[in-house]
Amino acid sequence: MKKSCFIFTFVALFLVPDIAYAAASDLTLVTGTAGENGEMSYSISLQILFFMTLLSMLPAALMSMTSFTRIIVVLAILRQALGLMQTPSNQIIVGLALFTTLFIMAPVFESAYENGIEPYLEESIGFEDALSETGSPFHRFMSNQTREADLALFSEMAGYEEFNSIDEIPFRVLVPAYITSELKTAFQIGFLIFIPFLVIDLVVASILMSMGMMMLSPMLISLPFKIMLFVMVDGWNLVMGTLAASFIVA
């Protein structure tokens, strides 16, 4: 409670002078203009505030509305399967996942810019139309990756009975369904990656046990064999190629 009061007081100290100055200079911070079809066009100051709010949500949008989730989970499982706890480091895995995400999502980003952002900057469409056109490519991308069972689950929880088309699915239903589907797909890919390395661990552990070398760690002996196998089959090429090909980009 004290923390909330402190934050409110802190914000008020900064807002009160600005509000007083705006009132003194007869400056209207928020204005709305009705269009020909009944839509509302808001003032530039409010639109800038909205865009700044969206910028603060970019990290969450990157993780929840792109291919980043599937890639980072698969790479983490791969590192665990190899038995390398800190190699590659978290920074390298995140960087690899980020640039692979940019590679996969490039058509979506280009479509969002060409259909939504660029026309808005040229003032050929309104703010609401630009927002809709910018989100439409992401909506199609997530719809193509989302399982029907996950979509039906969150639709039922949100109180929706049935959608006539994919375009009618709201983002508040599509995003959690998409994340759930991505986690399931990532774990399926991770399971297939884990199997050959698990076989190596079992073989090495059986050999050591048969030789009576109970005090020697099987993980220490199997590690170079797993690395050699991964390098011989060109594992990074296979993993990253499979991840990139597993996405359906509309």
Side-chain angles (χ1 to χ4, degrees):
M1 184 64 181
K2 293 181 178 179
K3 184 177 180 180
S4 301
C5 294
F6 176 77
I7 294 175
F8 178 78
T9 305
F10 184 78
V11 173
L13 290 175
F14 283 90
L15 290 182
V16 168
D18 294 337
I19 295 175
Y21 177 78
S25 59
D26 295 330
L27 178 63
T28 303
L29 297 178
V30 180
T31 59
T33 305
E36 297 179 355
N37 299 325
E39 72 275 5
M40 292 295 294
S41 177
Y42 297 97
S43 61
I44 297 298
S45 59
L46 185 60
Q47 296 178 18
I48 293 175
L49 176 62
F50 182 75
F51 277 123
M52 294 301 293
T53 304
L54 290 180
L55 288 177
S56 65
M57 297 178 62
L58 276 180
L62 175 65
M63 291 185 291
S64 58
M65 299 176 64
T66 65
S67 58
F68 183 84
T69 300
R70 183 187 304 184
I71 297 172
I72 195 69
V73 171
V74 171
L75 292 180
I77 294 177
L78 172 62
R79 184 174 65 177
Q80 183 72 23
L82 285 170
L84 302 172
M85 298 298 103
Q86 300 296 330
T87 305
S89 63
N90 292 332
Q91 292 84 352
I92 295 176
I93 288 181
V94 171
L96 180 59
L98 178 61
F99 282 99
T100 306
T101 299
L102 294 177
F103 171 77
I104 295 172
M105 300 294 297
V108 179
F109 293 150
E110 292 174 359
S111 178
Y113 178 80
E114 293 175 358
N115 298 329
I117 299 177
E118 187 176 15
Y120 176 73
L121 295 177
E122 295 174 355
E123 298 183 356
S124 59
I125 61 175
F127 176 74
E128 294 183 358
D129 293 335
L131 189 62
S132 176
E133 292 294 333
T134 302
S136 181
F138 292 93
H139 192 283
R140 289 195 301 269
F141 172 80
M142 290 188 292
S143 300
N144 291 332
Q145 317 300 326
T146 306
R147 291 180 171 83
E148 294 183 1
D150 298 326
L151 189 59
L153 171 64
F154 286 96
S155 298
E156 182 180 355
M157 294 174 62
Y160 294 96
E161 295 181 357
E162 187 177 354
F163 298 103
N164 296 325
S165 64
I166 295 178
D167 297 333
E168 296 180 359
I169 304 174
F171 275 99
R172 74 184 190 97
V173 173
L174 182 59
V175 172
Y178 170 75
I179 297 174
T180 305
S181 297
E182 286 295 282
L183 290 175
K184 183 176 181 180
T185 304
F187 275 81
Q188 289 175 344
I189 298 175
F191 172 77
L192 297 177
I193 293 175
F194 219 106
I195 289 178
F197 301 111
L198 180 60
V199 171
I200 295 178
D201 287 333
L202 291 175
V203 171
V204 172
S206 300
I207 294 175
L208 292 178
M209 185 174 295
S210 64
M211 296 175 62
M213 305 175 68
M214 307 294 295
M215 301 301 294
L216 187 61
S217 173
M219 295 290 295
L220 183 63
I221 304 300
S222 63
L223 179 59
F225 292 100
K226 290 190 290 187
I227 294 178
M228 182 181 64
L229 173 65
F230 190 71
V231 172
M232 289 181 60
V233 300
D234 200 3
W236 287 113
N237 193 345
L238 291 175
V239 171
M240 302 311 299
T242 301
L243 284 174
S246 64
F247 288 94
I248 304 174
V249 180

